[in-house]
């Protein structure tokens, strides 16, 4: 079965044998059912019923500059079995949708394929995001900003268990923002198309007090004259020390401010515009490392392309959206080790921590 109007929609189940599938509620007004048999054996087949129900949640809503709240049915109380909610959230043209999850709770033993929260761009296209979370995730859900004017939110749960539920707010994102979290990603308004004229955007990245931030540029293309620019300051406001002012099309080197707060300002004039910037950022209490979440990004050793310090120990956890796998490509490596990569090295683990199978170690140049 596919949760949509064709076989390109999300698959929700493949069934065979004699076990009766559980009831299913689609997220929208389409459900595609495909029945296939081979040439080996004939059986009695199946018999199913379907009916139309009035959804208890979801719908098409318009984002405004003021935050609006919505939630799972009867939140914070119990919702019905096989709850399925779909929200389509539209912002005005040239604007983005901001989603802030206030509460999301599902038990770890609930199956992720049938019990989850999903936030995505609509349509997803080649550049859109699809971020899915379930009860097994242990980190706070980051603030979601859509790439374009429309976002989609899906909440599914087969059964209510004590404490389960969802509540979130939605509004027009705007280009001035503050992130209070340990990691995230940034992109200029309109990315990857040209950013608008006459922008003056302020962005504050605020990690926990005992963390330090690392900022990595995935892509960068502004006007060469520096009338359009991005400046990064080491602190929470415009009076903080300047770390760099960037323009043109050269991708800046990573920024390691040794601070838990960064202040960014993006300005554009009325003449011409580039595609802007895309940035991955993370933080860690150890001075380097942290969580890198998303469908793509970049990271580097501390002070790259300069030398890293002695006694450096960094651990990054790369978390891809549900259903994806991670590919890592190295553009350069220069790790000096006097022996067999036992004292200075880079090592990869095929899982969320160092208890999983390793690849490496790597050193040399």
């Amino acid at each position: 079965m596919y949760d949509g109007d064709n076989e390109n929609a999300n698959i929700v189940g493949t069934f065979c044998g004699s076990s009766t599938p559980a009831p299913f509620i689609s997220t929208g007004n389409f459900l595609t059912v495909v029945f296939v048999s081979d040439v080996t054996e004939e059986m009695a087949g199946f018999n199913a019923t379907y009916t139309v129900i009035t959804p208890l949640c979801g719908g098409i809503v318009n984002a405004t500059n003021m935050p609006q709240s919505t939630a799972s049915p009867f939140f914070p109380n119990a919702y019905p079995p096989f709850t399925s909610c779909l929200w389509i959230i539209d912002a005005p043209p040239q604007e983005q949708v901001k989603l802030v999850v206030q509460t999301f709770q599902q038990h770890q033993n609930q199956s992720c394929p049938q019990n989850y929260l999903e936030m995505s761009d609509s349509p997803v296209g080649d550049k859109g995001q699809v971020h899915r979370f379930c009860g097994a995730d242990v980190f706070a859900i980051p603030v979601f900003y859509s790439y374009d004017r429309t976002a989609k939110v899906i909440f599914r749960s087969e059964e209510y268990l004590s404490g389960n539920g969802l509540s979130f707010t939605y509004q027009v994102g705007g280009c001035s923002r503050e992130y209070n979290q340990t990691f995230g990603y940034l992109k200029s308004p309109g990315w990857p198309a040209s950013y608008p004229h006459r922008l003056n955007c302020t962005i504050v990245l605020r990690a926990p007090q005992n963390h330090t931030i690392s900022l990595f540029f995935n892509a960068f293309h502004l006007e060469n004259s520096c009338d359009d620019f991005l400046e990064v300051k080491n602190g929470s406001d415009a009076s903080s020390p300047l770390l760099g002012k960037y323009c043109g099309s050269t991708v800046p080197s990573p920024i390691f401010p040794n601070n838990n707060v960064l202040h960014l300002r993006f300005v554009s004039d009325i003449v011409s515009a580039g595609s802007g910037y895309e940035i991955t950022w993370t933080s860690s209490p150890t001075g380097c490392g942290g969580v890198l979440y998303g469908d793509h990004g970049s990271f580097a050793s501390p002070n790259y392309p300069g030398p890293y310090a002695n006694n450096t120990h960094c651990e990054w956890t790369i978390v891809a959206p549900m259903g994806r796998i991670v590919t890592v490509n190295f553009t350069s490596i220069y790790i000096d080790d006097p022996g067999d990569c036992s004292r200075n090295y880079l090592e990869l683990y095929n899982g969320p921590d160092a208890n999983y199978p390793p690849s490496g170690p790597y050193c040399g140049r």
Side-chain angles (χ1 to χ4, degrees):
M1 290 196 300
Y2 300 87
D3 190 13
D5 61 356
N6 58 58
E7 293 180 48
N8 293 320
N10 289 334
I11 187 169
V12 295
T14 301
F15 309 101
C16 59
S18 57
S19 297
T20 302
F24 175 79
I25 300 176
S26 65
T27 56
N29 63 326
F30 287 99
L31 182 67
T32 299
V33 180
V34 179
F35 175 59
V36 177
S37 66
D38 62 15
V39 299
T40 58
E41 191 172 357
E42 296 179 355
M43 303 293 288
F46 73 94
N47 181 38
T49 61
Y50 67 92
T51 187
V52 175
I53 63 173
T54 301
L56 296 173
C57 54
I60 300 175
V61 296
N62 294 319
T64 66
N65 291 326
M66 294 296 295
Q68 301 175 72
S69 299
T70 190
S72 52
F74 313 121
F75 181 85
N77 299 315
Y79 48 76
F82 304 102
T83 288
S84 181
C85 310
L86 168 64
W87 291 271
I88 302 294
I89 304 168
D90 282 323
Q94 305 301 317
E95 299 284 2
Q96 297 170 307
V97 177
K98 175 184 178 182
L99 303 175
V100 179
V101 176
Q102 299 166 314
T103 302
F104 173 63
Q105 177 65 45
Q106 291 193 342
H107 285 242
Q108 292 188 3
N109 60 352
Q110 291 184 284
S111 167
C112 286
Q114 299 300 329
N115 301 270
Y116 61 85
L117 167 67
E118 182 177 285
M119 300 185 292
S120 65
D121 287 295
S122 181
V124 174
D126 294 331
K127 299 291 185 179
Q129 315 157 86
V130 180
H131 297 162
R132 182 177 288 191
F133 308 92
C134 60
D137 295 318
V138 296
F139 52 82
I141 296 176
V143 175
F144 179 92
Y145 286 94
S146 63
Y147 275 124
D148 211 334
R149 61 176 295 190
T150 304
K152 181 168 69 174
V153 179
I154 297 174
F155 173 72
R156 296 187 61 86
S157 184
E158 291 181 316
E159 64 174 323
Y160 176 82
L161 298 177
S162 178
N164 278 15
L166 166 71
S167 67
F168 67 93
T169 64
Y170 59 91
Q171 67 182 105
V172 171
C175 72
S176 291
R177 307 167 179 178
E178 179 167 337
Y179 295 86
N180 291 278
Q181 56 199 58
T182 56
F183 61 92
Y185 43 87
L186 301 172
K187 59 267 184 186
S188 52
W191 172 268
S194 297
Y195 49 81
H197 299 304
R198 299 181 183 274
L199 290 176
N200 192 341
C201 309
T202 298
I203 302 164
V204 176
L205 309 181
R206 192 183 304 273
Q209 191 67 40
N210 63 335
H211 283 51
T212 56
I213 290 175
S214 303
L215 195 74
F216 305 103
F217 291 86
N218 306 329
F220 194 86
H221 186 263
L222 306 187
E223 192 179 42
N224 287 323
S225 67
C226 289
D227 292 326
D228 297 355
F229 62 86
L230 174 70
E231 64 179 17
V232 182
K233 294 190 174 183
N234 195 4
S236 60
D237 55 46
S239 64
S240 302
L242 181 67
L243 292 172
K245 184 174 181 179
Y246 308 99
C247 57
S249 57
T250 300
V251 178
S253 297
I255 297 175
F256 303 95
N258 294 317
N259 197 356
N260 72 311
V261 185
L262 284 181
H263 181 278
L264 288 74
R265 181 175 175 233
F266 177 49
V267 173
S268 66
D269 63 10
I270 62 172
V271 181
S272 61
S275 56
Y277 57 82
E278 187 184 39
I279 295 171
T280 302
W281 68 279
T282 189
S283 65
S284 170
T286 62
C288 62
V291 174
L292 299 168
Y293 181 84
D295 52 13
H296 63 283
S298 60
F299 64 108
S301 54
N303 300 318
Y304 182 86
Y308 52 83
N310 290 330
N311 297 315
T312 294
H313 183 95
C314 308
E315 292 187 12
W316 293 273
T317 300
I318 302 174
V319 183
M322 188 74 67
R324 306 287 183 88
I325 59 175
V326 178
T327 299
V328 179
N329 296 305
F330 292 95
T331 54
S332 67
I333 183 170
Y334 190 170
I335 302 174
D336 191 25
D337 187 87
D340 56 356
C341 296
S342 61
R343 297 170 58 187
N344 300 278
Y345 60 87
L346 175 71
E347 196 157 28
L348 308 179
Y349 295 89
N350 189 20
D353 55 48
N355 294 317
Y356 284 76
S359 175
Y362 304 99
C363 63
R365 64 181 79 177

